[in-house]
Amino acid sequence: MRSCLMIFGFLLLVLSPSSQAQTLYEKYASLPIMENLSISPDGNKLAAIYNAADGPQVVLMDFPSVEFTPLVQLKKARDRIEYVVWSGNRYLIVALSYPEYSSGDYFRINRLYRIDLKTKEAKELTDKRFSKKDYYRYVNFRLVSALKDDPEHILVSAYDELDRGISVYRVNLADSDFDKIIVNNYKIDSWYADNHGVVRLGLQWEKDKSTDEHKLTTWYRNADGEPMKALHTVIIGKSETFEVMGLSEDGNKAYVMSDRINKRESLWLYDIQNNQFEREVYSNPEYDLAGALTNNEGELSGVFYYDDYQRQHYFSDNGEQQTALIKKLLPEMESFVVASSRDKQRFIVQAESTTQIPVYFYVDLRNKKAGVWLSKYPLLNHEKLSEPKNIYFKASDGMALRGYLTMPDNVQNPPLIVFPHGGPHARDYKYFDPFVQFFAAKGYAVLQVNFRGSAGFGNPYETAGYYEWGKRMQRDVDDAMDYVLTHFPVAKDKTCMVGASYGGYVALTEAFQQPTRYKCYVSIAGISDLQADIAHEKKMQLYVGNIIKEETSAELAALGDVSAINHISKITAPILLIHGTKDTQVNYHQSADFYDKARGKIDVQYIELEDTTHYLDDSAGRKATFKALDEFLSKYL
């Protein structure tokens, strides 16, 4: 291991600029140097997204070298590389997306490219039947299957005007020839293939106009060439959940994630022919399952959940042995596999601890070697991290809740930043968070609250937050703050709330509901007008997130009571707004309109980030955000 660490240090100097020239906010604002790692099926090559100074690149390496060859690079900061997938050992499929403006809003559009590793040629996967149409710029191309048994072709879905819906095509990777194999007669919105590349499943979203209920129907067919049949329909927010994670080898049974019986997301085996659940496959007694583990070809190999960290459960002995080996190699770290060869003899592991930034390790069982591969955030290698601690408390109505408190090192009675998460049906973890660690490095304590409505802790925990925007979910954050102020040595008179997305909504709502509780408020890509945001969600044809029970005029009007844009006269503390103009999740007018209405009346600052998305995934927008936070918090705390 000593020689690996020496090599690791050298690699960091090669791949990253000197950290000495960077300010503290620039270090924490840095994007991961490598992400979306993917190992070729034969285990000989490694592809990744490399976040270069002038934009992200798709790069190729010999496993486990970090000497890479750039393959493609984005031309515009607003565009994004979504993922990289292998098709056999010759082709890489690269999914890109970009924001497109229509009817007063931005929508994210997906495109697929293939890279021929023999010729290094990149080609967009499209067809004249699409590109010559006026509506082409709005057409999404999505990968349905990489066809592990046919590396010369993949399956792609895209809108077809003849079907007036999303159809499926078999695409030749050499010449991008599209051959339609699925005619959409069912108004299906997304398609899924089995392990052999046969399209078996489809999902259809629809709204019942008579009841205002949002429905999700899973469609299925027994074999190629047979018609699709409706398998199961869920009424969102009312029915038990039903999400197919994969099919059995013969395709007659489905592995379904559902919250039935347990009131937690668990994995069940579903008998398709008899339309009934057969048995429980796996569940955790405390936490929801968060998703499925799949290999490079999309085959189901296990499931995972989160306590404070991700926990992986594999169905095969091979997978469980892999997990045991990683734990033995890295006993003091929290780790999980991020990429693996088909035979599971070569893989990349991400590992970290509460005091150490994430690091990639490689494991090569063929040659019986393992070692450090790369630091995920090399600019932070020499920064000391502060450890988040679990806190448990009761809300004012008695509900048991939880969260994390990160105290800065060697600071007496530090100022407190309350940092509610987005979603709202998401959650916080103990994993490295650049915002939390930046705040702690500046000498602030940081409180993260998994308020009611947070996901992962079972049905009662999440559903207790339904329809509680600006109400009980808001009070949970207050109760958590009161608990910390009572039990921990923090400065009671130096507090600020900082939030992004839904967390930004919490900050703006708190600013008028409790205007003297905090010294300042920060909203990053937050919501100031809840009624307008629901209209945005409806344009995107998404479920409105359990914000209101019914879309009646009275229910919509009541959202004004919990929307900051209608209560600016009640706000007394300074506010910082930050929003990217290419945000397709929360329209940037949520911040811009609030600023236009509030300036001159309250102390408000607005930073508009050109071309930045909801997730601050471009270097310029991210640095501008951290710089603004640094200056604002230094001024008011």
Side-chain angles (χ1 to χ4, degrees):
M1 285 299 292
R2 185 172 299 172
S3 61
C4 288
L5 288 172
M6 290 174 63
I7 295 172
F8 174 56
F10 170 73
L11 294 175
L12 291 179
L13 291 174
V14 171
L15 288 178
S16 64
S18 171
S19 62
Q20 301 302 315
Q22 307 290 319
T23 64
L24 190 67
Y25 79 78
E26 286 176 318
K27 292 179 184 179
Y28 282 96
S30 62
L31 293 165
I33 192 167
M34 292 276 190
E35 54 187 338
N36 200 253
L37 309 180
S38 182
I39 298 176
S40 60
D42 63 12
N44 294 330
K45 298 289 184 180
L46 177 63
I49 298 173
Y50 169 53
N51 287 309
D54 55 349
Q57 303 173 351
V58 177
V59 298
L60 184 69
M61 296 151 278
D62 291 328
F63 182 92
S65 171
V66 294
E67 294 184 8
F68 60 79
T69 300
L71 298 175
V72 295
Q73 181 167 5
L74 291 186
K75 295 180 180 179
K76 299 177 182 179
R78 66 177 191 162
D79 295 348
R80 186 165 69 207
I81 302 174
E82 297 290 347
Y83 56 84
V84 180
V85 173
W86 288 88
S87 180
N89 297 303
R90 176 175 176 174
Y91 294 106
L92 278 177
I93 310 303
V94 181
L96 305 180
S97 70
Y98 64 90
E100 185 62 55
Y101 189 80
S102 176
S103 303
D105 236 328
Y106 279 102
F107 300 81
R108 189 151 285 279
I109 305 300
N110 294 276
R111 292 284 190 263
L112 295 175
Y113 291 76
R114 71 99 172 102
I115 302 173
D116 188 333
L117 298 183
K118 286 188 177 181
T119 64
K120 299 299 187 292
E121 177 200 21
K123 184 178 182 63
E124 183 177 1
L125 296 176
T126 187
D127 191 274
K128 288 183 180 180
R129 75 187 77 181
F130 307 113
S131 58
K132 66 181 181 181
K133 301 295 183 181
D134 292 337
Y135 58 79
Y136 174 67
R137 70 178 189 267
Y138 303 114
V139 177
N140 278 297
F141 291 79
R142 300 186 184 278
L143 180 67
V144 176
S145 174
L147 296 178
K148 66 172 185 176
D149 299 322
D150 181 7
E152 300 298 317
H153 298 85
I154 60 173
L155 300 185
V156 173
S157 67
Y159 177 80
D160 189 297
E161 64 179 343
L162 295 177
D163 297 348
R164 295 184 180 181
I166 308 298
S167 303
V168 182
Y169 304 84
R170 186 170 179 265
V171 180
N172 188 306
L173 293 174
D175 58 14
S176 188
D177 178 63
F178 275 61
D179 178 28
K180 187 192 292 190
I181 62 170
I182 296 286
V183 176
N184 192 347
N185 295 321
Y186 313 94
K187 296 183 179 180
I188 287 173
D189 299 296
S190 54
W191 298 89
Y192 300 89
D194 65 15
N195 295 343
H196 302 288
V198 178
V199 177
R200 293 284 197 96
L201 297 167
L203 292 180
Q204 175 194 12
W205 291 84
E206 60 181 336
K207 179 182 175 181
D208 189 321
K209 295 181 180 179
S210 63
T211 63
D212 277 339
E213 293 175 336
H214 296 256
K215 297 181 178 180
L216 176 62
T217 299
T218 301
W219 293 74
Y220 170 84
R221 64 176 183 171
N222 287 318
D224 197 6
E226 291 191 9
M228 302 291 292
K229 295 181 179 180
L231 178 65
H232 190 91
T233 297
V234 170
I235 300 175
I236 304 298
K238 295 183 179 180
S239 304
E240 296 171 341
T241 59
F242 186 96
E243 183 180 3
V244 177
M245 297 286 103
L247 297 173
S248 60
E249 185 64 23
D250 61 10
N252 292 324
K253 296 181 180 180
Y255 292 95
V256 174
M257 200 86 81
S258 176
D259 59 6
R260 65 187 302 268
I261 299 178
N262 297 328
K263 302 301 180 184
R264 296 182 311 280
E265 293 291 341
S266 305
L267 192 70
W268 298 81
L269 190 63
Y270 187 83
D271 187 328
I272 294 174
Q273 306 305 319
N274 295 313
N275 283 341
Q276 63 183 17
F277 286 94
E278 184 174 294
R279 63 180 175 86
E280 181 184 289
V281 177
Y282 185 81
S283 66
N284 181 273
E286 185 175 358
Y287 301 100
D288 292 305
L289 297 186
L293 297 170
T294 56
N295 60 21
N296 194 59
E297 286 81 25
E299 297 172 328
L300 180 68
S301 57
V303 291
F304 64 94
Y305 65 92
Y306 292 92
D307 42 34
D308 294 323
Y309 299 96
Q310 185 184 119
R311 307 301 180 191
Q312 297 180 335
H313 172 79
Y314 288 92
F315 301 143
S316 68
D317 292 339
N318 196 10
E320 288 299 291
Q321 290 168 4
Q322 185 183 68
T323 300
L325 173 62
I326 294 168
K327 190 64 179 176
K328 183 177 181 180
L329 290 173
L330 304 167
E332 304 300 322
M333 304 186 77
E334 298 293 340
S335 55
F336 60 92
V337 175
V338 296
S340 178
S341 60
R342 181 177 288 176
D343 63 6
K344 296 187 182 299
Q345 294 300 294
R346 288 180 167 177
F347 46 95
I348 298 290
V349 176
Q350 179 177 313
E352 64 179 271
S353 71
T354 54
T355 56
Q356 184 173 340
I357 63 170
V359 176
Y360 293 123
F361 291 81
Y362 77 89
V363 180
D364 184 354
L365 297 180
R366 296 178 190 173
N367 297 305
K368 298 182 179 180
K369 293 181 179 180
V372 179
W373 185 66
L374 192 65
S375 169
K376 194 171 182 178
Y377 297 92
L379 289 179
L380 296 173
N381 281 337
H382 304 296
E383 297 298 323
K384 181 175 175 57
L385 302 185
S386 299
E387 184 176 359
K389 301 286 189 181
N390 295 72
I391 60 169
Y392 303 91
F393 62 98
K394 283 192 175 182
S396 51
D397 67 349
M399 182 172 173
L401 299 172
R402 60 184 76 192
Y404 303 105
L405 180 66
T406 304
M407 296 288 286
D409 294 328
N410 303 317
V411 179
Q412 297 295 321
N413 295 316
L416 175 66
I417 291 176
V418 178
F419 190 48
H421 64 69
H425 309 306
R427 59 157 294 188
D428 285 315
Y429 310 92
K430 268 192 174 178
Y431 281 114
F432 170 78
D433 185 310
F435 285 93
V436 171
Q437 292 300 327
F438 171 65
F439 296 148
K442 294 290 293 184
Y444 308 124
V446 187
L447 170 61
Q448 298 168 273
V449 188
N450 281 319
F451 43 78
R452 74 190 67 201
S454 299
F457 304 102
N459 259 8
Y461 203 102
E462 180 175 339
T463 57
Y466 286 2
Y467 324 118
E468 294 293 337
W469 286 53
K471 301 172 187 175
R472 270 292 357 161
M473 284 196 292
Q474 197 83 21
R475 301 289 73 79
D476 288 348
V477 180
D478 294 339
D479 294 339
M481 178 190 181
D482 291 341
Y483 173 81
V484 168
L485 293 179
T486 301
H487 293 87
F488 295 90
V490 298
K492 294 179 173 58
D493 60 343
K494 292 184 178 181
T495 60
C496 190
M497 180 177 282
V498 180
S501 192
Y502 173 80
Y505 167 81
V506 175
L508 290 176
T509 303
E510 194 79 355
F512 78 83
Q513 286 187 348
Q514 303 210 39
T516 61
R517 179 179 274 265
Y518 294 88
K519 291 290 186 182
C520 58
Y521 301 89
V522 180
S523 170
I524 305 169
I527 301 163
S528 67
D529 187 340
L530 203 48
Q531 187 171 351
D533 186 65
I534 282 187
H536 172 82
E537 293 280 331
K538 288 163 68 177
K539 280 185 181 179
M540 299 283 287
Q541 296 183 339
L542 298 173
Y543 181 56
V544 295
N546 296 308
I547 301 173
I548 55 175
K549 293 181 179 179
E550 297 176 330
E551 293 179 40
T552 63
S553 57
E555 289 269 355
L556 290 170
L559 297 178
D561 295 336
V562 288
S563 296
I565 199 166
N566 299 320
H567 302 279
I568 291 172
S569 62
K570 299 177 183 177
I571 297 173
T572 58
I575 289 180
L576 171 63
L577 305 166
I578 303 172
H579 219 128
T581 62
K582 299 304 186 293
D583 189 334
T584 57
Q585 299 294 111
V586 177
N587 191 295
Y588 77 97
H589 283 290
Q590 286 282 341
S591 294
D593 291 351
F594 180 90
Y595 176 70
D596 288 342
K597 191 173 180 179
R599 60 179 173 175
K601 300 175 183 177
I602 63 173
D603 184 352
V604 60
Q605 178 184 358
Y606 175 41
I607 296 176
E608 193 168 278
L609 304 173
E610 186 67 26
D611 287 336
T612 293
T613 73
H614 190 69
Y615 302 103
L616 302 176
D617 47 16
D618 69 288
S619 180
R622 200 172 179 86
K623 285 182 181 179
T625 298
F626 274 77
K627 183 176 186 291
L629 285 170
D630 192 12
E631 294 172 349
F632 184 79
L633 295 173
S634 295
K635 180 177 180 180
Y636 293 105
L637 291 184

